[in-house]
Amino acid sequence: MNQTNGRIEALRALMREEGIDAYLAPTSDFHGSEYVGEYFKCRQFLTGFSGTAGTAVITMDEAGLWTDGRYFVQAEKELAGSCVTLFRAGTPGTPAVEEFLEDRLPEGGCLGFDGRVVDGETGRLLLERLAPKKVTLSCGRDLAGDVWSDRPALSCAPIWRLKDCYAGKSCREKLADLRKAMKEQGADLHVMTALDEIAWLFNLRGGDIVNNPVFLANALIGMDTAVLYVQLAALQEDAKASLEENQAAVKPYEAFYSDIANLKGRTVLLEQKKTSYLVCESIRSNCRIRSAVINPCAAAKAVKNETEIENMKRAHLKDGVAATKFMYWLKKQIGTCDMTEMTAAGKIEALRAEQEGYLGPSFVTIAAYKENAAMCHYHPCDGACSALRPEGLLLVDSGGHYYEGTTDITRTYALGPLTEEEKEIYTIVAMSMLKAGSMKFLYGCRGMNLDYTIREAFWQRGMDFNHGTGHGVGYLLNVHERPNGLRWKIVPEREDSAVIEPGMICSVEPGLYVEGRFGARTENMILCVPDETNQYGQFLRFEFLTWAPIDLDAIDVRFMDEKDVERLNAYHAEVYRKIAPFLEEEEREWLKGAVREITKLVV
């Protein structure tokens, strides 16, 4: 029997014992994290789909996997031969998870899930949606975990202190700001379960999720108390000292749920979509809930302070040096020796490691050659890796964590001769990204107001890309950070449609993908800064943080206008000014040619 099918049958046996008609397994941990540790990969264990976003629903006679457009191609491959059906979320004719459950669950049926990994808002909405059929919820048992006999242990990586010279604001100051926000919302206690918010508040970092410097924790913040629930063995001495300095008590990670159950008569501030259903319902039974639209710390950390901004600029300068050296190496070596996607991924990592203050990658490097680049989140691995030849396009999406911040950059490289179609698409993508550097907009705009500027060239040609244009980026935290982003429509689960504020940092990363043949994406990170103020209000603009060459070998000026030429030349002039001083002489000479000024051909 197929391994996936066997696991689903074992789950169904437990469902029969518990009287459960459908079981929901999201991609989540106890903290609503986008990426999860190995212990929490129940959905992957059940279905075999390894993408970072998706929801599984298992009934007695069906098994479905919902994921978004980034993963359609990957999911088709990984689900092949199993009993799991792929549901392409967001596409016409595809029912949403709740619609599927509403249709499939019987009258008086039971929906099961682990109440610690489904958020409070989702749980309540499901209960309301299924109420006409008198469906009940069973959320007290982790059935998928019960099936998973060799489940990995919880991660317990070291927790360390991020010094104030990097954080720009002390934990004590952040606690004072948080308590002010709590008071404004009439709350005397704040429940925190989002890992990046907790790490930011306490100026601590860890490593319990691969490539995300966060640690497993919960927190209860009162008007004069602060309790951090962590795995005590993970705390380093500097972290312990910091918590003591800031008068924060420490309790075992597992004590959180019993303490929540014992709360009585408090007015609790929490964000239901970032707090588990189990926690929300436990609090609701004995306390008053003040529902936050967004947790105070989530909003606060998205607007970088002056120290963070200056440090981020330093981090991106280091990263630009590594990315430029990588391009030099790639252009010189291709065709002279055996190279694979893994070779390329290893090289960019090695070059980052040479930079002072480098701590590790901010996500798994995507090094995708030719047809592999048509899968947005493909990444090479041992046993599944393409050889590189002196032809076609190689897409490399990578990033790093430094003490000075977090980076994310994508460049697509011509390894040799290209088709006319490859050049056209590459040029459209690169020029669309550069438009972000010339945007000027009034305060109050959201990412949706700005996204069209990037997509215009695509839509005019009847083309599009099936992912957001940009996402917020944390400071030595998660590479995907809410609440800011660039997207042409609201996608509620992404939580990235906030008003763009000065100090917010986003990626801008348009791409085009031709399934089975090639893909191209170009990505910089941008910082929102004030522009002029006049009778119409406060204008804002974006500054580029990312400085690395755009491959002129793939550019076709026929698909550029004069403004495109000006933007590219101006960007490349700044790349040379910033990066050249950190290169060896031979690399500098090469860079001169790589960022040479181009002109628009007159026909």
Side-chain angles (χ1 to χ4, degrees), residues 8 89 135 161 176 181 251 255 266 288 315 353 397-398 402 431 474 504 541 544 566 572:
I8 289 174
V135 169
R161 179 180 189 171
K251 286 192 172 185
R266 305 295 294 271
R288 296 176 298 278
D397 187 349
S398 65
Y402 302 80
M431 294 310 102
M504 285 181 168
R541 59 186 173 85
F544 286 127
E566 289 175 17
H572 271 165

Side-chain angles (χ1 to χ4, degrees), residues 171-351:
C171 172
R172 190 180 301 273
E173 291 174 300
K174 291 178 180 180
L175 281 167
D177 289 344
L178 173 56
R179 287 168 176 144
K180 182 179 178 182
M182 290 164 55
K183 185 176 181 180
E184 289 171 353
Q185 298 196 47
D188 59 60
L189 186 69
H190 180 36
V191 171
M192 299 181 67
T193 63
L195 302 185
D196 57 338
E197 296 170 24
I198 294 170
W200 177 86
L201 175 65
F202 288 99
N203 285 345
L204 300 176
R205 298 295 188 268
D208 284 333
I209 297 178
V210 175
N211 302 323
N212 288 0
V214 296
F215 50 94
L216 295 175
N218 296 292
L220 292 179
I221 309 299
M223 298 309 292
D224 54 8
T225 60
V227 182
L228 180 65
Y229 297 83
V230 294
Q231 298 178 91
L232 301 182
L235 283 170
Q236 302 297 285
E237 290 304 317
D238 61 344
K240 291 180 184 177
S242 176
L243 291 167
E244 187 174 339
E245 288 170 20
N246 291 286
Q247 299 178 322
V250 179
K251 286 192 172 185
Y253 181 61
E254 60 273 13
F256 175 69
Y257 292 99
S258 59
D259 282 4
I260 286 291
N262 289 328
L263 289 176
K264 286 183 172 54
R266 305 295 294 271
T267 302
V268 181
L269 177 66
L270 58 81
E271 185 183 348
Q272 294 195 62
K273 61 180 175 291
K274 298 299 289 185
T275 309
S276 75
Y277 181 76
L278 186 67
V279 169
C280 287
E281 293 307 296
S282 180
I283 292 172
R284 199 184 309 278
S285 62
N286 294 304
C287 299
R288 296 176 298 278
I289 289 180
R290 290 279 187 270
S291 293
V293 175
I294 181 170
N295 281 331
C297 287
K301 71 182 172 63
V303 179
K304 276 50 179 182
N305 60 53
E306 290 183 8
T307 299
E308 289 174 319
I309 289 169
E310 290 307 310
N311 283 338
M312 283 286 257
K313 289 178 179 178
R314 295 186 184 99
H316 281 83
L317 187 58
K318 294 177 182 181
D319 211 64
V321 171
T324 301
K325 284 176 173 284
F326 172 78
M327 183 175 176
Y328 168 79
W329 168 85
L330 183 66
K331 292 289 188 176
K332 293 291 184 180
Q333 295 298 316
I334 188 66
T336 68
C337 58
D338 292 337
M339 296 172 65
T340 68
E341 295 165 329
M342 286 287 283
T343 311
K347 184 64 176 181
I348 188 67
E349 168 65 12
L351 290 167

Side-chain angles (χ1 to χ4, degrees), residues 58-101:
I58 312 300
T59 70
M60 288 303 174
D61 52 12
E62 290 181 272
L65 183 281
W66 281 255
T67 192
D68 61 53
R70 297 172 296 167
Y71 294 108
F72 290 166
V73 176
Q74 177 182 338
E76 278 185 350
K77 291 182 177 180
E78 293 183 342
L79 298 181
S82 76
C83 65
V84 182
T85 299
L86 172 61
F87 289 84
R88 294 171 173 80
T91 60
T94 299
V97 169
E98 60 271 17
E99 293 172 325
F100 178 88
L101 288 169

